[in-house]
Amino acid sequence: MYQHATAPLARREPATDRDTQAAEVNTTFVSLLASCRLHALEPWAYLRDLFCLLPDWPHHRVFELAPVAWQQTLQHPDTQERLATNPFRSATLALDQPHTDDS
């Protein structure tokens, strides 16, 4: 007759601070991606532009970077200038363009 095993198959150490931090980061990204979907934003474009703007963005205007306010934020001349002059954004936009084979 089959008996259920009473010993655990694998022992896991208690959660560490690193595990907790990783879970918080994961939750933040999942939340941002869900908000992108909710507000009809393309996630890659949103995250690319967010990471381009975030380092120099004024702290008192951080809410403008949330997906709910994103379309309005993109209309500001200041935002457009910051994105237009960002080398990372220019490089990634160039990678998104279809390449033709001239051979």
Side-chain angles (χ1 to χ4, degrees):
M1 177 165 245
Y2 178 75
Q3 291 182 326
H4 293 286
T6 56
L9 295 177
R11 296 191 187 273
R12 178 160 163 83
E13 295 296 320
T16 63
D17 287 340
R18 183 189 293 176
D19 293 338
T20 302
Q21 289 174 340
E24 289 173 0
V25 169
N26 182 58
T27 301
T28 299
F29 275 100
V30 169
S31 177
L32 277 174
L33 295 175
S35 290
C36 285
R37 177 176 278 184
L38 181 66
H39 297 288
L41 301 174
E42 199 283 309
W44 163 245
Y46 170 75
L47 290 173
R48 177 198 60 221
D49 291 349
L50 175 67
F51 290 141
C52 290
L53 293 172
L54 198 55
D56 298 321
W57 197 257
H59 295 313
H60 68 279
R61 292 177 51 199
V62 74
F63 182 73
E64 296 173 23
L65 299 177
V68 67
W70 190 247
Q71 292 299 334
Q72 186 175 359
T73 301
L74 288 177
Q75 302 306 315
H76 289 242
D78 175 53
T79 305
Q80 293 176 9
E81 181 180 343
R82 288 171 187 254
L83 290 174
T85 59
N86 186 285
F88 174 77
R89 185 173 192 266
S90 299
T92 57
L93 287 174
L95 291 173
D96 288 344
Q97 299 299 318
H99 298 281
T100 59
D101 187 15
D102 293 333
S103 55

